């Protein structure tokens, strides 16, 4: 994960800054509109905007990616918005599990929306730049929401552990106050971690380097531009990875070890299937999320940097859009709520139902 040995100068040598060329690049040439030469850029220390390379040397591929990413992003926003709406409208979904699922859906919408719209514009080459405040905000949000998702997945695993291993105490343990506290702690820890790394990153000297070899302002890509010592940043990123990524994964694994042991003690096969079905969707989401991260950061380094960027694009765009599909396919209650909404029964049921009344988690879904 700490591939920080590249320099911003390497990207400068790969890109020709030609002010006299038209804005649209050919399929094999990366053109950035700017009037500054490389020497002037190196001497300038106050950078007001950054240039996002993306895959500008593969213009035809960017056109294909634009169509794919636009479709996937639209599906992501619509699917996760539908999950949030169903959790609010259907009284059967007024429970801790769906409260956490609504937060996960909101997180996926915000995470992709923090960089995908500008990336789509860059695919069309309407612009290749992002302002300094925009880059700082983009880096802050992507890091914060990624960290928060790891913690929230661990919270959801704990919820399944209590529901299956201690069902009689479930309403007592997973009450509204506890659910809100765990959710706020997940969001707060993720955003506080991102704030710390953002402050340390932007306090580094960049010596005028402004070309980011990525689709968006990802923290590792930004750190490659620094011309100072980044050992402290690398150390803190490693610590944050252990605490906010690997520790939640360990808690998830422990939760499911206890869950599996409890399920195997259920005498009937139907009971075991019913118990496992309540957590199968969450297991699938965890496998997809951590599997993509593991492949992206622990695979051998590709000879073509474009391949690494496409894999990162898959992680940032495709993975969040899979969550509503997984929960709609693997969860009977979500499927039933979606069918009821499709036939118009859900809204009438919501109007006739006592507002916000759930024996498990009153007023949880709003």
């Amino acid at each position: 994960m700490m591939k920080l040995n590249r320099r911003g100068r390497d990207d400068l040598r790969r890109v020709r800054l030609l002010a006299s060329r038209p804005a649209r690049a050919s399929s094999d040439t990366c053109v950035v509109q700017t009037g500054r030469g490389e020497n002037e850029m190196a001497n300038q220390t106050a950078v007001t905007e950054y240039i996002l390379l993306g895959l500008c040397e593969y213009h035809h591929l960017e056109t294909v990616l634009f169509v794919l990413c636009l479709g996937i992003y639209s599906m992501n926003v619509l699917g996760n918005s539908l999950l949030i709406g169903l959790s609010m409208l259907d009284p059967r979904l007024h429970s801790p599990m769906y409260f956490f699922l609504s937060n996960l859906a909101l997180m996926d919408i915000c995470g992709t929306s923090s960089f995908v719209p500008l990336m789509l514009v860059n695919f069309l080459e309407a612009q290749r730049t992002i302002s300094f405040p925009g880059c700082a905000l983009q880096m802050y949000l992507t890091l914060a929401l990624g960290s928060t998702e790891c913690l929230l997945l661990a919270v959801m695993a704990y919820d399944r552990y209590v529901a299956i291993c201690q069902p009689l105490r479930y309403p007592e343990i997973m009450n509204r106050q506890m659910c809100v506290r765990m959710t706020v702690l997940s969001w707060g820890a993720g955003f506080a971690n991102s704030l710390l790394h953002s402050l340390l990153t932007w306090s580094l000297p960049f010596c005028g380097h402004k070309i980011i070899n990525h689709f968006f302002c990802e923290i590792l890509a930004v750190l490659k531009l620094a011309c100072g010592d980044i050992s402290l940043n690398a150390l803190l990123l490693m610590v944050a990875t252990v605490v906010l990524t690997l520790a939640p994964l360990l808690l998830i694994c422990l939760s499911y070890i206890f869950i599996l042991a409890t399920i195997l003690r259920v005498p009937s096969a139907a009971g075991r299937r019913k118990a496992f079905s309540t957590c199968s969707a969450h297991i699938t989401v965890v496998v997809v999320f951590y599997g993509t991260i593991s492949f992206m950061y622990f695979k051998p380094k590709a000879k073509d940097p474009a391949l690494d960027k496409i894999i990162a694009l898959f992680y940032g765009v495709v993975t969040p859009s899979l969550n509503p599909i997984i929960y709609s396919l693997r969860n009977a209650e979500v499927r039933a709520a979606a069918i009821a909404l499709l036939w118009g029964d859900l809204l009438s049921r919501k109007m006739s139902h006592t507002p916000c009344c759930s024996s498990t988690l009153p007023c949880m879904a709003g």
Side-chain angles (χ1 to χ4, degrees):
M1 181 175 177
M2 303 304 165
K3 301 176 182 178
L4 305 176
N5 56 344
R6 299 178 186 173
R7 297 286 183 140
R9 294 182 183 274
D10 296 335
D11 296 329
L12 289 173
R13 295 189 186 99
R14 296 176 53 214
V15 180
R16 297 294 183 184
L17 303 175
L18 303 176
S20 60
R21 294 285 295 276
R24 181 165 294 278
S26 64
S27 60
D28 57 351
T29 306
C30 194
V31 179
V32 180
Q33 286 283 346
T34 178
R36 297 188 179 95
E38 182 174 337
N39 293 333
E40 184 180 346
M41 288 174 58
N43 293 330
Q44 181 186 0
T45 57
V47 176
T48 59
E49 64 180 16
Y50 291 90
I51 300 169
L52 299 171
L53 291 186
L55 293 175
C56 57
E57 65 270 26
Y58 301 102
H59 172 62
H60 295 303
L61 182 58
E62 282 195 328
T63 305
V64 175
L65 287 176
F66 171 82
V67 177
L68 290 176
C69 291
L70 179 60
I72 295 172
Y73 174 67
S74 302
M75 182 176 66
N76 171 29
V77 174
L78 292 175
N80 283 295
S81 298
L82 179 62
L83 276 180
I84 296 173
L86 291 176
S87 298
M88 296 176 62
L89 293 174
D90 196 329
R92 294 172 298 180
L93 304 185
H94 291 184
S95 65
M97 181 174 72
Y98 296 104
F99 173 70
F100 296 135
L101 178 59
S102 297
N103 278 269
L104 182 65
L106 177 62
M107 201 175 303
D108 288 335
I109 293 174
C110 295
T112 53
S113 298
S114 65
F115 72 94
V116 170
L118 180 61
M119 183 183 68
L120 293 176
V121 172
N122 286 341
F123 281 156
L124 297 178
E125 294 192 343
Q127 65 176 16
R128 283 286 178 186
T129 60
I130 182 173
S131 65
F132 171 77
C135 185
L137 179 62
Q138 196 176 76
M139 188 186 79
Y140 174 73
L141 289 177
T142 53
L143 181 59
L145 293 168
S147 303
T148 304
E149 184 162 358
C150 295
L151 296 173
L152 190 61
L153 288 174
V155 169
M156 295 174 73
Y158 176 73
D159 170 71
R160 293 298 83 206
Y161 161 76
V162 177
I164 295 176
C165 299
Q166 303 184 46
L168 298 180
R169 297 188 60 201
Y170 183 73
E172 174 189 354
I173 297 176
M174 300 304 294
N175 55 61
R176 182 190 180 191
Q177 188 177 21
M178 176 60 70
C179 292
V180 171
R181 283 179 178 176
M182 290 193 295
T183 303
V184 171
L185 181 62
S186 299
W187 284 86
F191 276 75
N193 170 69
S194 181
L195 179 61
L196 172 62
H197 289 293
S198 297
L199 292 175
L200 290 175
T201 298
W202 296 116
S203 64
L204 293 170
F206 288 91
C207 303
H209 300 157
K210 59 185 294 185
I211 297 180
I212 298 177
N213 190 17
H214 213 299
F215 293 107
F216 60 98
C217 292
E218 193 257 350
I219 186 169
L220 296 181
V222 173
L223 283 175
K224 291 174 185 176
L225 304 184
C227 55
D229 183 16
I230 60 172
S231 57
L232 177 61
N233 302 76
L235 175 62
L236 291 179
L237 277 173
M238 185 178 298
V239 172
T241 300
V242 172
V243 175
L244 298 179
T245 304
L246 299 182
L249 178 60
L250 177 61
L251 293 176
I252 292 171
C253 293
L254 289 175
S255 296
Y256 279 108
I257 289 175
F258 287 110
I259 289 173
L260 182 61
T262 302
I263 291 177
L264 292 178
R265 289 198 298 266
V266 176
S268 65
R272 289 194 295 269
R273 282 197 302 269
K274 182 179 180 180
F276 183 76
S277 65
T278 62
C279 53
S280 60
H282 179 259
I283 293 176
T284 307
V285 170
V286 170
V287 170
V288 171
F289 180 78
Y290 277 99
T292 309
I293 290 180
S294 301
F295 179 76
M296 183 170 62
Y297 288 113
F298 297 109
K299 69 174 182 62
K301 182 180 176 183
K303 295 181 180 179
D304 187 357
L307 180 59
D308 289 329
K309 288 188 280 188
I310 292 177
I311 294 173
L313 181 65
F314 175 87
Y315 164 72
V317 178
V318 178
T319 303
S321 66
L322 297 178
N323 292 347
I325 299 176
I326 292 171
Y327 272 93
S328 62
L329 293 177
R330 306 288 298 180
N331 192 289
E333 292 178 323
V334 174
R335 288 200 305 270
I339 294 173
L341 179 65
L342 181 65
W343 290 103
D345 297 334
L346 189 56
L347 292 177
S348 60
R349 188 187 307 162
K350 175 67 176 179
M351 296 298 294
S352 61
H353 193 270
T354 303
C356 209
C357 181
S358 172
S359 59
T360 304
L361 195 64
C363 299
M364 178 56 68

